[in-house]
Amino acid sequence: MTDLQPARGTHDMIGEEYRRFQHVIDTARRTAATYGFEEWATPIFEDTRVFARSLGDTSDVVTKEMYTFTDRGGDSVTLRPENTAGICRALVSNGLTQSLPQKVFYAGPMFRYERPQKGRYRQFHQIGAELIGVAEPLADAEVIALGWDILSALGVAAHTTLEINTLGDRESRDAYRAALVAHFSAHRDALSDDSRNRLDRNPLRILDSKEHADKPFIATAPTIGDHLTEGARAFYEKLKEHLARFDVPFVENPRIVRGLDYYNHTAFEFVTTALGSQGTVMAGGRYDGLVEEMGGPPTPGVGWAAGVERLSLLLAEPPAATQPVAVIPVGDAAEAAALSVVQTLRRAGIRAEIGYRGSLKRRMEQANKRHARAAVILGEAELARGVAQVKNLASGEQSEVTLAELVARLS
Ligand code: ATP
Ligand code: MG
């Protein structure tokens, strides 16, 4: 069996690694609740059209990274590469487009066929927030503030920078698109194959390219600032004012475009220099056209997603495991009593474990190996008097405690 390993790009999470992972999700979930976000769980696979429609047919995700297959019934399904499309699909499927706003939090696995490396996997996990139904820039600022508060609560905010940009409205984007086409067309032959392809179909995407060949032309490309309409500029200014009021520090980066088709106005990323080239930990923006793509009425929306593995790597200290209390019976009669003692402790919310076999010495060794904080030693003579020996395993101090007082002493 030793040749069976986790599939390429997947990983097992055990012990400290899983505690880090769980801590990220728990912290995010708790923080999102304070903002009034409710958690949704949507399926891990969807009709392929959910992603093909929403992500756009020139995105890397759709062209190269999706796990798509035909199931036994002949339907094309896709393991979700991201969850914004699924949430918008669910909003429409569940008839919630008239019950707005919806403030949604989610956490779960995503799948992309990528070249695995540190911070980049084929099965990875995202937490995310979506605020659907609010057209005002206050919504954008609020979801960004939520992201910032989560990073702060995790103690990683100091290592990240929030970069924001605007993609403007339709009119701004059309004007910008024309300027980009003019710019990149002059260098058509030097561009990477992908970017040459994008030039005709979605030139904004070129700005998102990671290809070396494209870098010099991206650096000299025009920025959207000169092409914003009055309305788009006002929206962006309001966003910045709100962020300042929410006390969220940011820098502007005109190179931020989101890789996906459905974004407009706000685009943002939280980036770090601590993870090499996998520097984006959280990314998002406004997607006013997406719900309509899913068959609903025109509905504004804004949100973000963050990589749980990348956030876990940034955590300074792994959260400590809770230390158990070890219940140790000495002798057969005590063994029976120990079962009821351990159960009483558990039902009082105390992490309690019982040694499965062996002498007192052996069971004490096991308790130390399990990093127990205390041992409750139950001898037959003591049981007859309704007491137990409680040993503090850190200090070695031992005292007699009545069974009735046990829970209070160990809480
Ligand atoms: P990248 O530029 O790193 O490929 P992306 O733009 O594809 O990221 P998004 O689609 O915006 O990423 O996903 C949001 C977040 O999910 C990313 O910022 C990152 O933290 C995380 N993420 C994306 N792809 C992966 C992956 N393959 N493995 C681990 N985390 C990932
Ligand atoms: Mg990617």
Side-chain angles (χ1 to χ4, degrees):
M1 291 296 276
T2 49
D3 57 337
L4 290 181
Q5 295 295 322
R8 189 163 146 77
T10 70
H11 57 281
D12 302 312
M13 291 185 281
I14 295 173
E16 181 195 311
E17 192 180 351
Y18 194 65
R19 283 202 300 279
R20 285 174 179 268
F21 177 89
Q22 203 57 47
H23 177 68
V24 170
I25 294 179
D26 288 347
T27 304
R29 185 174 275 143
R30 229 178 311 116
T31 310
T34 67
Y35 277 71
F37 283 65
E38 243 189 71
E39 189 159 352
W40 289 13
T42 58
I44 282 169
F45 65 89
E46 295 266 2
D47 185 319
T48 297
R49 288 173 298 178
V50 168
F51 307 110
R53 262 191 215 172
S54 61
L55 305 183
D57 57 7
T58 55
S59 73
D60 277 357
V61 170
V62 170
T63 53
K64 297 180 202 150
E65 298 174 0
M66 288 207 313
Y67 276 93
T68 298
F69 59 97
T70 305
D71 70 13
R72 288 170 195 275
D75 295 323
S76 177
V77 297
T78 296
L79 301 184
R80 62 185 188 190
E82 56 97 38
N83 204 28
T84 303
I87 295 292
C88 290
R89 195 274 307 140
L91 181 90
V92 176
S93 310
N94 291 277
L96 294 170
T97 57
Q98 301 306 316
S99 318
L100 301 175
Q102 289 287 337
K103 298 159 82 175
V104 183
F105 174 80
Y106 63 81
M110 307 294 157
F111 305 85
R112 296 183 191 179
Y113 192 80
E114 303 216 58
R115 197 167 62 77
Q117 49 198 297
K118 184 182 172 199
R120 189 176 295 284
Y121 312 98
R122 290 181 175 176
Q123 175 175 338
F124 63 102
H125 299 75
Q126 284 182 341
I127 47 172
E130 316 290 355
L131 206 177
I132 304 174
V134 182
E136 287 74 21
L138 176 56
D140 309 53
E142 195 177 40
V143 295
I144 292 173
L146 168 58
W148 170 255
D149 278 3
I150 290 171
L151 298 179
S152 302
L154 290 170
V156 305
H159 310 292
T160 64
T161 305
L162 167 62
E163 300 186 345
I164 64 167
N165 189 25
T166 179
L167 305 173
D169 49 18
R170 170 55 61 96
E171 200 184 326
S172 319
R173 265 181 92 150
D174 286 348
Y176 184 43
R177 187 192 153 98
L180 285 176
V181 170
H183 169 75
F184 287 119
S185 295
H187 310 288
R188 177 179 269 277
D189 294 339
L191 292 175
S192 68
D193 290 347
D194 278 349
S195 288
R196 209 172 307 118
N197 193 16
R198 291 177 184 125
L199 186 51
D200 305 317
R201 304 169 73 180
N202 189 346
L204 241 80
R205 278 269 164 65
I206 300 176
L207 299 176
D208 219 11
S209 165
K210 294 181 181 81
E211 296 288 334
H212 210 68
D214 299 328
K215 293 272 152 94
F217 312 115
I218 293 172
T220 55
T223 56
I224 194 157
D226 302 332
H227 306 279
L228 291 178
T229 61
E230 204 60 42
R233 191 179 302 283
F235 189 102
Y236 190 45
E237 291 307 317
K238 267 274 174 268
L239 167 68
K240 291 187 278 182
E241 283 170 27
H242 289 320
L243 284 176
R245 289 191 192 111
F246 277 131
D247 205 16
V248 177
F250 62 87
V251 299
E252 294 178 66
N253 177 354
R255 296 285 170 229
I256 293 200
V257 293
R258 301 291 303 131
L260 308 179
D261 268 349
Y262 51 67
Y263 286 99
N264 63 323
H265 287 298
T266 311
F268 61 92
E269 293 185 357
F270 285 89
V271 296
T272 177
T273 50
L275 294 176
S277 57
Q278 270 57 255
T280 307
V281 291
M282 181 182 281
R286 177 166 281 277
Y287 49 82
D288 290 344
L290 183 56
V291 173
E292 212 175 344
E293 285 286 332
M294 293 297 149
T299 308
V302 57
W304 52 255
V308 180
E309 285 83 356
R310 290 188 196 176
L311 289 172
S312 302
L313 287 168
L314 282 182
L315 290 184
E317 280 295 317
T322 8
Q323 291 184 282
V325 168
V327 175
I328 300 180
V330 186
D332 287 346
E335 183 103 39
L339 298 189
S340 102
V341 169
V342 77
Q343 218 54 354
T344 303
L345 295 176
R346 288 168 176 170
R347 286 173 184 162
I350 296 167
R351 177 168 174 169
E353 300 189 32
I354 189 155
Y356 295 106
R357 68 177 74 86
S359 63
L360 172 62
K361 179 163 176 281
R362 170 115 175 73
R363 292 197 208 208
M364 285 301 279
E365 282 166 9
Q366 282 167 357
N368 281 314
K369 225 157 124 188
R370 306 275 304 162
H371 304 291
R373 59 187 168 95
V376 175
I377 302 161
L378 299 167
E380 279 165 27
E382 279 131 335
L383 275 172
R385 291 192 290 121
V387 300
Q389 294 296 324
V390 174
K391 183 170 186 178
N392 180 323
L393 294 179
S395 66
E397 198 183 305
Q398 186 166 323
S399 58
E400 194 171 279
V401 178
T402 67
L403 293 182
E405 284 174 335
L406 214 46
V407 165
R409 278 292 289 274
L410 292 167
S411 288

